[in-house]
Amino acid sequence: MTRRPRSLVLLLAVVLVGVAGGVGARLLRERQQPELLPVRVVFTSSAAEISVAGERDGGCVEAAVLGECLPVVRVMQEPGEPLRAITLTGVISPGLSLLYWGCREGAGVPVCTAAPQPADAVVCVTTSSEHDLQASAACGEMTGAARTPAPAARTEVVRFVPVTRDGRPAPGYQVTEVGKQQPDSCFPAYSATAPDIVSCLPFVLGAHACWIEPDRTKVLCGRPGTNQLIRYGTRQPLAGANPPAEERRDPLLIELRDGTRCTMRWGGPHPPLPGLLTARYYCADRGILVQTPDDPLISRTDPFWTVRILDPRDGGGEAAVKPYEVASVHYAGRP
């Protein structure tokens, strides 16, 4: 059942039972599959109808800002995949999208990849409407988005997926059209985990990860941490692009446990480095993520993977190379 929003009052919409028992039977089968992840969801909006394909989990979560206790719905989610159980229904204002809290991608994001949850944790959902600012504040509070999150147990592998199954921009992503600039060439993206994701030159485009659109004459380029996509036209239709083999695949983004974000070195002169070190990623004020010919880019022997970073301010010698633990690695994927 889905309830409609009322003016000035924030209401919850919950789908409890599937048509003719079909959804219930499907969920029963899913619960028997150990690879599925149970995710507890609360959601609220005064601007739109929100539906969740799940089962009432019992109890509720207090949302003091709203003066409500929001019911909890339990959905079964495939690990590492974007959450698809929640939808906007009814008449939706142009540009309105779902926003999630309590996901790996951060707070108030348009795409949610849920992590394993403690018993009292929830994913909170509302919309991007200005009428849902109170709901957004409530979501941030109840999911701890304003507080330091509990530490993870290991490095997380995250797929960045800003497009739908048919290659269109995913809900919540804003597209900027670039009419005059065109890529000179595109090739399979170094971070791709699925077909038809490319990197494009020249370097000035910053087009590390671009998704070929259905007509193959345009690409949508984006990066983790932002909902902005840039659309470039291509000089001719692009041929199919297959992802690199897993052992040759490099992350689009490496995030260290101290919050530092590392992005691949992309054009420009190669910085002078000691010995056989190669500059691979720039890590803000931490320095340069380096690699030697005989060592992997990322050591994956421990629960928290490690990388080696050279801080030129420490003298620039090989002794200045230090290991850092990795919180997450992000790759470019498709639904």
Side-chain angles (χ1 to χ4, degrees):
M1 179 178 68
T2 301
R3 289 189 286 177
R4 299 176 180 274
R6 293 194 299 224
S7 60
L8 305 180
V9 179
L10 296 173
L11 290 179
L12 179 69
V14 182
V15 172
L16 298 178
V17 182
V19 177
V23 173
R26 178 175 56 82
L27 290 173
L28 179 60
R29 291 194 300 271
E30 289 177 341
R31 283 198 300 274
Q32 295 171 345
Q33 300 179 40
E35 70 273 12
L36 294 180
L37 179 74
V39 178
R40 301 170 74 241
V41 177
V42 296
F43 52 110
T44 182
S45 175
S46 62
E49 301 171 17
I50 302 177
S51 296
V52 175
E55 293 183 330
R56 179 71 179 270
D57 198 37
C60 60
V61 178
E62 291 287 348
V65 173
L66 306 178
E68 293 186 65
C69 193
L70 302 179
V72 181
V73 178
R74 183 173 181 267
V75 302
M76 301 305 293
Q77 168 70 15
E78 186 175 347
E81 294 293 325
L83 195 60
R84 298 192 183 92
I86 299 116
T87 55
L88 283 170
T89 58
V91 179
I92 307 302
S93 301
L96 197 65
S97 62
L98 292 169
L99 294 181
Y100 299 84
W101 280 255
C103 302
R104 292 181 184 178
E105 288 83 355
V109 291
V111 175
C112 171
T113 306
Q117 295 180 294
D120 60 346
V122 291
V123 168
C124 184
V125 187
T126 184
T127 79
S128 58
S129 171
E130 63 179 8
H131 299 296
D132 281 337
L133 294 180
Q134 274 192 310
S136 294
C139 281
E141 179 62 29
M142 71 177 65
T143 60
R147 301 189 296 271
T148 302
R154 61 179 61 247
T155 297
E156 291 187 287
V157 178
V158 181
R159 289 195 315 139
F160 174 52
V161 183
V163 298
T164 60
R165 288 183 180 276
D166 61 357
R168 308 294 179 184
Y173 282 88
Q174 306 297 319
V175 177
T176 298
E177 302 278 354
V178 178
K180 295 183 179 180
Q181 283 185 306
Q182 289 182 313
D184 293 333
S185 62
C186 298
F187 44 90
Y190 59 85
S191 62
T193 62
D196 286 349
I197 304 173
V198 295
S199 300
C200 297
L201 298 176
F203 297 126
V204 70
L205 299 181
H208 291 243
C210 302
W211 285 256
I212 301 175
E213 293 204 75
D215 67 2
R216 312 198 72 83
T217 64
K218 296 183 289 293
V219 292
L220 289 167
C221 304
R223 55 188 174 86
T226 175
N227 69 340
Q228 301 298 311
L229 298 175
I230 298 177
R231 176 178 281 134
Y232 293 107
T234 59
R235 301 182 189 280
Q236 58 187 9
L238 294 176
N242 292 318
E246 185 173 358
E247 64 272 13
R248 297 179 53 243
R249 192 178 299 152
D250 291 323
L252 182 60
L253 172 71
I254 298 172
E255 187 168 5
L256 307 182
R257 291 191 71 190
D258 64 7
T260 302
R261 295 161 70 88
C262 304
T263 55
M264 182 173 276
R265 191 180 71 84
W266 189 250
H270 193 294
L273 297 174
L276 298 176
L277 295 178
T278 301
R280 295 297 311 278
Y281 288 70
Y282 289 129
C283 301
D285 59 356
R286 281 287 175 217
I288 303 169
L289 194 160
V290 296
Q291 183 180 14
T292 61
D294 297 327
D295 293 322
L297 175 70
I298 304 174
S299 173
R300 308 186 182 205
T301 56
D302 296 315
F304 278 106
W305 302 345
T306 57
V307 293
R308 304 173 70 207
I309 295 179
L310 170 67
D311 188 343
R313 297 171 297 183
D314 290 343
E318 287 199 49
V321 177
K322 299 176 182 177
Y324 283 84
E325 291 186 333
V326 176
S328 60
V329 289
H330 299 248
Y331 295 90
R334 287 185 176 272

